[in-house]
């Protein structure tokens, strides 16, 4: 079975791009609520509903939550694509629904989603609040965890474009982690299940996005939700949806979230997580901060009367302006860029740098400039 073909069949067409809020998912959830699958499990700081969509009648209970960080919407899209599959009446769906009961919280942080922020409306990172439980959203997730008593947890996130797969120059399109449950980062039976699951997902993903799968750093932090749930004895997998070449809207990456979900439930339903796959897991290359959105090399600038050749890097800021996410490129690093890659790279071959300010690239300045050979860059990109 080609899982990308399957994705094309069940893709939720009403969700698109990066700005996914309650306004987009609420009508969808209501449409999907054909048999009392939907309930409100609590309210956010700004009194917005937090929904749980429960489907399936199997003994293996799966708890999934997305958009704990409000501006991380790719896994929400992938989750709805997967829910469409579950509602399809196909043989695969029937098998999943009789094996599993899925408890999906598609948007744990609706306020952050609206504001397009990582944090909630009290500016708290919910993924650092799993011990103190100071926020309503954290309490809601914990209460669900305790009442459902899941067999597996899926902690669904997005990661920034800065992450690559080790030093390969490939972006980390999907990254995973079986979080640690102690400082020593030991492997017990619980964590081993998460490890084996990720090893199995990776084996399939490599067929779709070769060398674009990363393994996240496993430093232990009990304030992170995945570490807490793993510590509490439930195998927990962290998904980080990342960058695919040219795909800032993450419509390509979304496919691989779907592929990963389907693969993981196939593995669990076939009970294929018994033998240790630690070596396979550890052979997944580590995530590394090696990317900028833009790198401009060999730019000539006149610095205090001296001509020098230098490089600079720019990074998109995703800014919410009039209800839309705008990708605005700002200069973030000037000078030595050895070991770094750009999703877009340009070699100026010593051409003179000019801009409308003082003809020197400065930190935090928009990446709008031109070169002496009349090549103009607007917002980091070449323009005519
Ligand atoms: Zn996140």
């Amino acid at each position: 079975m080609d899982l990308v073909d399957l994705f094309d069949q069940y893709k939720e067409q009403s969700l698109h791009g990066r700005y996914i809020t309650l306004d987009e998912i609420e009508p969808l959830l209501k449409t999907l609520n054909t048999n009392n699958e939907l309930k409100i499990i609590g309210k956010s700081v700004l009194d917005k509903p937090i929904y749980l969509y429960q489907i399936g009648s199997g003994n293996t209970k799966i708890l999934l939550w997305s958009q704990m960080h409000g501006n991380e919407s790719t896994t929400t899209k992938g989750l709805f694509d997967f829910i469409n599959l579950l509602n399809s009446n196909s043989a695969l769906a029937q098998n999943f629904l009789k094996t599993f009961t899925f408890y999906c919280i598609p948007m744990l942080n609706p306020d952050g989603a609206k504001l397009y922020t990582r944090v909630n409306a009290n500016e708290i990172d919910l993924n650092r609040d799993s011990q103190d439980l100071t926020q309503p959203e954290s309490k809601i997730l914990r209460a669900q965890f305790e009442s459902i008593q899941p067999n597996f947890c899926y902690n669904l996130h997005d990661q920034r474009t800065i992450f690559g797969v080790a030093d390969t120059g490939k972006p980390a399109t999907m990254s995973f982690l079986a979080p640690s449950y102690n400082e020593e980062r030991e492997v017990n039976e619980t964590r081993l299940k998460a490890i084996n699951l990720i090893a199995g997902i990776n084996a399939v993903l490599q067929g779709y996005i070769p060398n674009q799968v990363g393994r996240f750093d496993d430093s232990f932090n009990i304030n992170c939700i995945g570490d807490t749930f793993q510590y509490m004895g439930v195998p927990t997998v962290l998904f980080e949806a990342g960058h695919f070449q040219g795909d800032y809207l993450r419509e390509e990456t979304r496919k691989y979230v779907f592929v990963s979900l389907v693969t993981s439930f196939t593995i669990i339903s076939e009970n294929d997580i018994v033998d240790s796959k630690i070596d396979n897991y550890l052979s997944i290359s580590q995530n590394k901060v090696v990317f900028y959105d833009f790198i401009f090399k060999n730019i000539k600038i006149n610095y205090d009367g001296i001509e020098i050749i230098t490089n600079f890097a720019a990074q998109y800021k995703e800014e919410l302006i009039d209800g839309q996410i705008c990708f605005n490129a700002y200069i973030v690093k000037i000078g030595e860029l050895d070991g770094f890659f750009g999703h877009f790279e340009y070699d100026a071959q010593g051409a003179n740098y000019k801009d409308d300010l003082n003809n020197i690239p400065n930190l935090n300045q928009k990446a709008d400039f031109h070169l002496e050979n009349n090549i103009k860059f607007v917002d980091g990109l070449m323009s005519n």
Side-chain angles (χ1 to χ4, degrees):
M1 178 173 39
D2 186 281
L3 295 176
V4 168
D5 288 348
L6 197 69
F7 164 84
D8 290 335
Q9 225 174 316
Y10 298 115
K11 177 182 175 184
E12 176 45 56
Q13 302 289 348
S14 72
L15 299 179
H16 185 266
R18 297 289 286 275
Y19 191 44
I20 306 291
T21 70
L22 213 48
D23 297 341
E24 279 74 41
I25 69 161
E26 236 173 359
L28 197 50
L29 286 168
K30 287 178 178 161
T31 308
L32 290 163
N33 187 27
T34 52
N35 198 13
N36 270 327
E37 294 96 341
L38 191 63
K39 66 177 172 189
I40 292 175
I41 50 174
K43 296 282 182 74
S44 67
V45 172
L46 298 179
D47 211 31
K48 296 291 179 199
I50 295 170
Y51 289 100
L52 177 79
Y53 186 82
Q54 179 184 336
I55 184 169
S57 56
N59 291 330
T60 305
K61 292 177 285 185
I62 308 288
L63 174 60
L64 311 97
W65 62 96
S66 182
Q67 261 173 298
M68 157 182 263
H69 292 143
N71 58 355
E72 299 178 359
S73 56
T74 307
T75 49
T76 305
K77 293 189 290 186
L79 187 54
F80 277 100
D81 302 332
F82 179 68
I83 291 173
N84 282 350
L85 162 69
L86 293 177
N87 279 299
S88 70
N89 222 6
S90 64
L92 180 63
Q94 286 174 15
N95 178 43
F96 280 167
L97 294 179
K98 76 171 196 291
T99 308
F100 301 105
T101 304
F102 297 98
Y103 301 84
C104 311
I105 304 172
M107 190 174 283
L108 184 64
N109 179 7
D111 301 339
K114 187 73 179 176
L115 298 164
Y116 202 68
T117 56
R118 173 182 174 90
V119 293
N120 75 348
N122 287 333
E123 301 195 353
I124 299 294
D125 184 339
L126 300 176
N127 203 21
R128 300 290 180 275
D129 191 38
S130 68
Q131 289 301 308
D132 298 339
L133 299 174
T134 62
Q135 301 303 303
E137 297 88 353
S138 313
K139 290 176 188 151
I140 289 165
L141 180 59
R142 175 63 75 89
Q144 291 303 313
F145 175 84
E146 283 170 0
S147 73
I148 293 165
Q149 302 194 333
N151 298 95
F152 290 90
C153 285
Y154 285 63
N155 184 15
L156 305 173
H157 290 254
D158 271 59
Q159 63 186 350
R160 298 173 60 200
T161 58
I162 56 176
F163 290 103
V165 173
D167 292 306
T168 62
K170 293 268 200 173
T173 302
M174 287 297 297
S175 297
F176 299 93
L177 172 69
S180 297
Y181 67 94
N182 65 9
E183 290 286 350
E184 295 72 31
R185 309 180 198 189
E186 289 171 314
V187 176
N188 61 1
E189 202 185 327
T190 302
R191 189 173 180 214
L192 183 61
K193 282 186 185 166
I195 283 173
N196 290 347
L197 202 47
I198 292 169
I201 295 170
N202 175 58
V204 170
L205 269 186
Q206 290 295 339
Y208 295 95
I209 41 169
N211 307 314
Q212 294 192 190
V213 181
R215 178 168 49 90
F216 228 85
D217 175 61
D218 69 349
S219 306
F220 178 62
N221 183 348
I222 193 71
N223 297 310
C224 296
I225 192 71
D227 305 49
T228 290
F229 288 170
Q230 197 96 279
Y231 172 81
M232 292 171 82
V234 178
T236 300
V237 178
L238 171 73
F239 277 41
E240 293 280 355
H243 188 66
F244 183 91
Q245 291 85 343
D247 178 38
Y248 281 92
L249 296 182
R250 303 217 165 158
E251 288 295 306
E252 185 70 19
T253 300
R254 160 188 200 168
K255 294 178 186 173
Y256 308 114
V257 174
F258 175 88
V259 167
S260 304
L261 289 171
V262 173
T263 301
S264 72
F265 299 123
T266 304
I267 291 168
I268 300 172
S269 70
E270 292 171 353
N271 201 22
D272 198 13
I273 51 165
V274 183
D275 298 329
S276 170
K277 296 193 176 74
I278 291 184
D279 291 346
N280 304 32
Y281 177 74
L282 293 176
S283 75
I284 304 171
S285 302
Q286 273 198 289
N287 257 31
K288 192 171 172 189
V289 176
V290 288
F291 270 103
Y292 291 102
D293 289 321
F294 300 92
I295 284 185
F296 302 97
K297 290 181 176 165
N298 302 313
I299 306 272
K300 188 191 288 175
I301 57 174
N302 192 308
Y303 194 74
D304 275 352
I306 303 163
E307 285 192 330
I308 60 165
I309 303 281
T310 189
N311 317 294
F312 67 93
Q315 190 71 22
Y316 279 130
K317 258 189 215 165
E318 296 156 23
E319 297 176 313
L320 178 62
I321 299 168
D322 295 334
Q324 296 212 321
I325 307 305
C326 303
F327 288 80
N328 292 319
Y330 293 87
I331 295 170
V332 291
K333 171 95 184 169
I334 301 153
E336 188 59 69
L337 288 170
D338 276 2
F340 284 90
F341 304 94
H343 293 301
F344 172 89
E345 289 193 6
Y346 185 84
D347 187 343
Q349 299 179 324
N352 242 317
Y353 172 98
K354 302 268 182 209
D355 62 28
D356 296 337
L357 300 162
N358 50 8
N359 294 326
I360 291 177
N362 283 301
L363 293 180
N364 304 318
Q365 170 181 319
K366 282 284 303 278
D368 296 340
F369 61 96
H370 52 273
L371 300 172
E372 64 186 337
N373 45 13
N374 273 329
I375 296 178
K376 197 175 168 198
F377 292 84
V378 176
D379 211 21
L381 292 169
M382 227 182 291
S383 86
N384 297 317

